[in-house]
Amino acid sequence: MTRNTIKLHNSLTRQKEDFIPIDANHVKLYACGPTVYNYAHIGNARMAVVFDAWVRVLRHRYPKVTYVSNITDVDDKIMKAADETGVPISEITEKYTCIYNEDMATLNVNAPDIQPKATEHIGEMIALIETLITKDFAYEAEGHVLFNVPNNPAYGALSGRSRDEQIAGARVEVAPYKRDAADFVLWKPSTPDQVGWDSPFGFGRPGWHIECSAMAEKHLGLPFDIHGGGADLKFPHHENEIAQSCCANNKADDPAGFSRVWLHNGFVTVEGEKMSKSLGNFLTVHDAIKDHKGEVIRLTLLSAHYRQPLDWSEQALHQSEVLLDKLYKKLESMSELNANDAVVPDPILSALYDDLNTPLVIAELNKLVKQENSAALKSQLLSVGNLLGILQEDPANWFASDEDGVSDEDVKKIELLIAERMEAKDNKDFARSDKIRDELLAMGIEIKDTRDGTQWEKV
RNA sequence: GGCGCGGUGGCAGAGUGGUCAUGCAGGGGACUGCAACUCCCCGUACAGCGGUUCGAUUCCGCUCCGUGCCUCCA
């Protein structure tokens, strides 16, 4: 295939295929964002980083890309959090939306073009539900509105599950008002003291799945090119989105009538197990960025292929940190050179266009950094960095943080000691120079002698 | 039970029907007063068993192991 073709693994066809946009002048994608009732963990961050990288690659290839990623700000979990803390729902959702966006910015994740909130799209959801009722794909029962799965024979295309299989394996009790065990909620009733909206089906709130169907359609139109999210959303969430949107738009027999391509990222694991709140083995981004730079976390999240599981470990972080230091050091040594036109080296672009093969890109980056300094190399590194969302910082700034936590007073003292040591070295008084080095080490300062003089950093 | 995904050198992690991934860690060397930094060199990996093939880590089958979804979940 030509280097102009982006290949991607489509979960809907379970194959790697050439990406052919509906409109090459305007690519549209949607990815399910977080439910905001708590700090985002590394797993949430992986989704954001992966799709941010996809958007960067798509933008490199296509003139216009619209990326929509939602905020789910009405949900039973949020209501529970509000009950438990006594804090109003809106306060909780605003707080954690804000924290989420700040955390993602720290990871160099560009804000989506549109970040719709579920609570601002209730009207669209109600309209969608009414359409589904009219077309006999949904029905009202005891204040609920339910999607009738048996009326949609194409149901199960994404997850590869027939309705029967799903029932057989179901571990949940079937609510008595459901006509079919597989039916799922579009609207559920709220009590007067709960959050809710008036609707033709009574006072209530939307089900989770209908939110994304409504927001994706409103902001992108149907069908659009790519729908993404974590692998755990494939069933039931994405399956249900397809059912709702296709059935409401006369595409009941065409699962691709909603989104042409489905992309799913793998999980972050801890010691081989999925990172999740129920297992209690999760690490929040908020905490992670206390110990590691955002860019280090970002590169670590890109160090495995996006569909593979990624085991979170200090060793993985260390590896990313070492590489970034190496790259920034290289850039620093080329600070006098002017970067010219950005050209991404072929092997790297090919890797990126081949289903976002970021581990291969990292390998190529390791080779690239060994080349001799040149304006061309500098621009290559910077343009690759831009595609990956790294290396955009001023190198001096990157290394400056190594001095964090050292007071100005200490800096003076350190520099004085280093000068003294140089003097001792010049006089071949090595006993004294070693003593000074030990003294610095005792202060937590490590030194190294380079051609350009002695450098130090906090250990 | 149903539907998936994966098992690559100490670790992480790509990839391929027959020459190299790459990195981290480790070993050796150069440099250094000694270190650190930097640079150079090194390690004969593809779960097991069958099959296809001139040839399989790569294709097919089976077995074993791990893990995910089927319930809220990125």
Side-chain angles (χ1 to χ4, degrees):
Chain A
M1 241 331 123
T2 64
R3 53 188 290 261
N4 257 346
T5 306
I6 292 178
K7 283 175 176 283
L8 37 69
H9 180 92
N10 185 354
S11 302
L12 195 54
T13 58
R14 294 173 190 79
Q15 280 178 334
K16 199 195 270 191
E17 50 191 50
D18 291 346
F19 175 59
I20 300 165
I22 296 166
D23 175 3
N25 291 314
H26 189 178
V27 173
K28 300 172 183 179
L29 75 157
Y30 183 96
C32 295
T35 301
V36 282
Y37 66 100
N38 208 332
Y39 289 101
H41 63 238
I42 296 295
N44 297 296
R46 188 178 191 191
M47 169 264 148
V49 167
V50 161
F51 287 101
D52 179 61
W54 264 120
V55 169
R56 286 167 188 260
V57 170
L58 288 166
R59 289 218 162 100
H60 183 268
R61 171 67 182 78
Y62 296 101
K64 187 178 179 191
V65 176
T66 297
Y67 173 41
V68 179
S69 187
N70 70 293
I71 293 286
T72 294
D73 60 351
V74 52
D75 178 272
D76 288 6
K77 281 194 169 176
I78 302 173
M79 288 161 66
K80 195 175 166 221
D83 274 350
E84 286 170 0
T85 59
V87 178
I89 285 178
S90 61
E91 208 170 295
I92 291 176
T93 59
E94 274 164 35
K95 176 183 170 188
Y96 288 110
T97 299
C98 195
I99 290 172
Y100 174 79
N101 284 333
E102 281 171 8
D103 284 349
M104 293 312 123
T106 307
L107 304 185
N108 287 356
V109 171
N110 291 140
D113 298 297
I114 302 168
Q115 188 175 48
K117 289 180 180 157
T119 51
E120 292 168 5
H121 296 75
I122 302 295
E124 286 84 352
M125 294 174 204
I126 290 172
L128 191 53
I129 294 169
E130 286 188 295
T131 303
L132 287 167
I133 293 174
T134 307
K135 296 191 175 179
D136 204 29
F137 285 112
Y139 59 93
E140 291 184 63
E142 295 180 29
H144 295 72
V145 181
L146 293 130
F147 185 92
N148 188 228
V149 170
N151 278 2
N152 178 207
Y155 189 85
L158 179 64
S159 58
R161 275 169 239 263
S162 73
R163 184 194 143 274
D164 294 340
E165 283 164 358
Q166 190 202 331
I167 306 296
R171 280 181 271 148
V172 264
E173 277 186 48
V174 177
Y177 46 80
K178 286 188 180 180
R179 284 188 199 163
D180 188 275
D183 293 353
F184 58 89
V185 170
L186 301 175
W187 188 265
K188 52 184 135 186
S190 293
T191 57
D193 56 316
Q194 286 179 316
V195 64
W197 291 262
D198 288 320
S199 81
F201 343 107
F203 184 72
R205 57 193 193 275
W208 176 39
H209 314 304
I210 201 75
E211 297 178 7
C212 286
S213 277
M215 291 187 277
E217 180 174 358
K218 177 176 182 192
H219 296 287
L220 295 175
L222 299 191
F224 53 92
D225 296 295
I226 298 172
H227 190 128
D232 49 354
L233 298 188
K234 203 187 273 188
F235 187 89
H237 187 235
H238 291 336
E239 194 73 76
N240 292 351
E241 277 186 62
I242 291 174
Q244 293 159 347
S245 294
C246 291
C247 289
N249 287 281
N250 305 320
K251 293 278 178 58
D253 55 351
D254 175 21
F258 178 44
S259 174
R260 290 290 163 81
V261 175
W262 287 80
L263 257 29
H264 292 279
N265 66 274
F267 301 122
V268 176
T269 61
V270 177
E271 282 163 21
E273 279 188 314
K274 179 182 173 184
M275 186 184 280
S276 74
K277 290 184 180 167
S278 50
L279 285 170
N281 61 351
F282 67 96
L283 173 69
T284 64
V285 179
H286 199 69
D287 285 336
I289 57 183
K290 287 175 189 162
D291 298 328
H292 302 278
K293 290 174 185 153
E295 231 172 275
V296 170
I297 293 168
R298 181 182 177 100
L299 189 63
T300 304
L301 287 171
L302 293 172
S303 67
H305 183 88
Y306 78 93
R307 278 190 288 112
Q308 296 303 125
L310 172 72
D311 210 49
W312 197 251
S313 67
E314 278 303 318
Q315 217 179 87
L317 288 160
H318 173 244
Q319 227 174 292
S320 301
E321 192 162 21
V322 168
L323 175 57
L324 284 169
D325 278 346
K326 201 192 291 184
L327 290 165
Y328 271 114
K329 194 164 286 175
K330 188 74 173 172
L331 286 172
E332 194 173 38
S333 73
M334 295 192 288
S335 54
E336 299 303 314
L337 296 167
N338 285 320
N340 44 33
D341 288 343
V343 176
V344 178
D346 238 23
I348 290 182
L349 197 61
S350 305
L352 250 13
Y353 277 20
D354 185 14
D355 200 26
L356 200 69
N357 191 340
T358 51
L360 190 54
V361 173
I362 291 171
E364 292 296 331
L365 222 34
N366 271 297
K367 293 180 191 166
L368 201 60
V369 75
K370 288 180 182 164
Q371 291 186 8
E372 286 189 22
N373 287 4
S374 71
L377 178 62
K378 184 176 180 181
S379 27
Q380 286 185 338
L381 286 178
L382 288 175
S383 48
V384 173
N386 190 235
L387 265 179
L388 245 38
I390 58 172
L391 302 180
Q392 304 307 298
E393 214 177 305
D394 182 339
N397 203 30
W398 173 265
F399 291 111
S401 53
D402 287 338
E403 296 174 17
D404 278 0
V406 182
S407 67
D408 290 351
E409 201 178 317
D410 281 345
V411 170
K412 270 185 202 158
K413 195 173 161 193
I414 289 162
E415 277 163 6
L416 202 70
L417 283 168
I418 287 174
E420 262 182 61
R421 176 169 166 273
M422 280 310 290
E423 200 185 318
K425 277 182 69 174
D426 287 344
N427 297 331
K428 305 231 184 281
D429 184 357
F430 299 123
R432 180 142 176 267
S433 71
D434 285 354
K435 201 182 159 213
I436 293 170
R437 185 168 64 201
D438 290 343
E439 210 174 305
L440 284 163
L441 204 58
M443 289 167 66
I445 303 300
E446 200 172 68
I447 56 170
K448 39 192 172 187
D449 297 328
T450 71
R451 283 194 203 92
D452 306 323
T454 301
Q455 292 179 352
W456 63 272
E457 66 178 26
K458 199 161 187 283
V459 189

